[in-house]
Amino acid sequence: MSARGTSWNRLNRLAYILQVIAVGALAVAWLAIGLGLFSRSGVDLEAGDRFAANPTVYWPFLFVISPLLFVTGLFGLLPYPFAPGGTIAGGIVASLFAQWVGTELYLSDLKPELPGRLETSFGAACFAVAVAFTAAIVHVYSTRSGRTRVASIRGGAGLVIAILVSAWVTIPPLMAGSGAPSGVLAGLVADAYCGRKVSDWMDDGQAAVYTGDVTQQLPVKAVPDNRFGVLVTLRDGMGSVEITPPTAISFRDELPFSSGPPATELLLHQSGTGNLSAFTRLRDPKCESGSNRVVSANYYYEEYGGTNNSSIQGRVFRSR
C-alpha cells in the first residue's frame, strides 16, 4: 500500500472516531433535556400546567424529538463520508428544541433544575455539531485527488454554509445561558419577563384590581347580550372574579392563584362537582415601559364538564 493510501486510511479512521465522539455528545444533549424535563418540580403542577406542557413540550420530546435524534445518531455512526451530516442535523434539532423549552419560562419556574440542564444541552449540542463538522472536513480532505477535487471544493463550500447556519443556531444560546430566552427562537417570546412573577401583578403584595369588557364566546345563544363587564381582584395570594350582569358561568369565590403556562399568566382554578372545572386566566400581559409592572392582560374564562363547556374572553386593564 502506498504512503498516500496509508495516510488516507488514517484520515478516514480519524474521521470515524470524531463521528463517534459527536454522536456521544448528541446523546448527552438529548439526555440533558430529558433529565431537565422530568426532574423534580419545585411546586406541585396544576392541572392547567400539565395540560399546556404536554402538547407543547413533553409529547414532542417523547414522540418526535427522541425518535428523530435516535435515527440521526444511528446515521452518524455509519462509516461513510456523508454520515456526519446526520449528527449535524441532530445537533441543530436538539439546540432548537432546547431553545423552544427555554421559551416556556413557566417550566423553569416549576422545575429548578431545568435551566442548568438546558445549558448542558446547549453546550453538548454545540460540541456535537463542531466535532461532526470536523469529521466531515477530514472526510472531504481525505478524498482529494485529481478526479474528486471539484467535488471536494463543492463539498467544502457546502460545509462552510452549513457551519455558519449551525453556529447561528447553537452558539448564541450557549453564550447567553438559559436563564432567559435566547437564540433563534427567542423572538417568539415578547416581553419575556413581563408578568413572570406574582409581584408584577400586585405592586409589592398589595391588592390589584383589573377591569374590562368581555364577550361570551360559548354558548352565545344562552344569553341575549353576550357582552359583560368583568372585575378581577388579586389580594394576598387569592383572587376573585365578578361579572356584571351575573351569569351562570361566573363566580366570585376567593381562589388561590398561581403562575402558569406560559409563565406570563395568572391562573385561578375552581373545582366543581363530577368532571366540572373552571379556569380563569390572565394571559399575554403588557407592562409599563421599562418595568415589569403589569398594566393590562387578556382575560379568559373557560368551563369544562360534559356538555356545559363555556368561555368568556376580553381585555382587562389595571385600575389600581
Side-chain angles (χ1 to χ4, degrees):
M1 180 179 293
S2 66
R4 174 176 290 184
T6 302
S7 176
W8 285 357
N9 286 335
R10 290 176 180 174
L11 289 175
N12 287 329
R13 190 178 301 114
L14 173 61
Y16 185 73
I17 292 174
L18 292 174
Q19 288 176 220
V20 174
I21 295 174
V23 171
L26 179 61
V28 171
W30 170 83
L31 183 62
I33 298 175
L35 290 176
L37 289 177
F38 293 97
S39 61
R40 182 181 298 274
S41 299
V43 296
D44 292 334
L45 286 174
E46 298 282 350
D49 298 330
R50 291 194 296 268
F51 178 79
N54 280 335
T56 60
V57 175
Y58 285 92
W59 292 347
F61 176 76
L62 291 173
F63 303 119
V64 179
I65 302 302
S66 293
L68 183 62
L69 293 184
F70 179 77
V71 171
T72 55
L74 288 181
F75 184 77
L77 291 176
L78 297 177
Y80 298 107
F82 52 82
T87 309
I88 294 170
I92 293 176
V93 169
S95 175
L96 287 174
F97 184 75
Q99 291 178 49
W100 172 255
V101 175
T103 64
E104 300 290 324
L105 296 175
Y106 72 98
L107 282 177
S108 296
D109 292 336
L110 294 174
K111 296 181 175 292
E113 293 183 19
L114 182 59
R117 299 294 187 182
L118 291 181
E119 290 177 355
T120 300
S121 180
F122 288 142
C126 189
F127 181 76
V129 170
V131 175
F133 270 122
T134 302
I137 291 172
V138 171
H139 270 306
V140 169
Y141 180 79
S142 68
T143 58
R144 289 185 63 185
S145 66
R147 290 180 299 174
T148 62
R149 188 171 301 160
V150 175
S152 298
I153 293 175
R154 291 175 180 173
L159 283 175
V160 169
I161 295 174
I163 287 173
L164 293 176
V165 173
S166 301
W168 181 55
V169 170
T170 58
I171 293 179
L174 183 63
M175 296 176 61
S178 59
S182 57
V184 178
L185 300 182
L188 297 177
V189 180
D191 298 326
Y193 291 100
C194 175
R196 183 176 182 181
K197 298 179 180 179
V198 171
S199 59
D200 298 340
W201 300 80
M202 296 185 59
D203 290 338
D204 297 326
Q206 299 179 5
V209 177
Y210 294 83
T211 60
D213 295 325
V214 297
T215 302
Q216 186 171 350
Q217 306 293 318
L218 247 180
V220 176
K221 63 181 180 180
V223 291
D225 185 357
N226 67 335
R227 294 189 64 83
F228 305 92
V230 63
L231 183 147
V232 181
T233 304
L234 306 177
R235 180 189 297 108
D236 298 328
M238 304 293 286
S240 66
V241 180
E242 182 177 1
I243 292 180
T244 307
T247 71
I249 64 173
S250 65
F251 62 91
R252 195 181 175 179
D253 297 330
E254 291 285 333
L255 297 172
F257 62 82
S258 61
S259 61
T264 53
E265 171 182 279
L266 285 187
L267 171 68
L268 288 79
H269 173 234
Q270 182 186 47
S271 298
T273 58
N275 63 342
L276 183 64
S277 60
F279 295 90
T280 291
R281 307 174 188 271
L282 298 183
R283 301 190 62 176
D284 308 314
K286 297 296 181 184
C287 288
E288 293 177 334
S289 179
S291 170
N292 290 343
R293 183 178 185 270
V294 177
V295 294
S296 66
N298 286 333
Y299 171 87
Y300 296 90
Y301 177 87
E302 297 164 320
E303 185 177 276
Y304 303 97
T307 60
N308 297 320
N309 296 343
S310 303
S311 67
I312 296 178
Q313 299 179 16
R315 189 78 181 172
V316 294
F317 302 85
R318 184 184 292 203
S319 58
R320 64 178 175 88

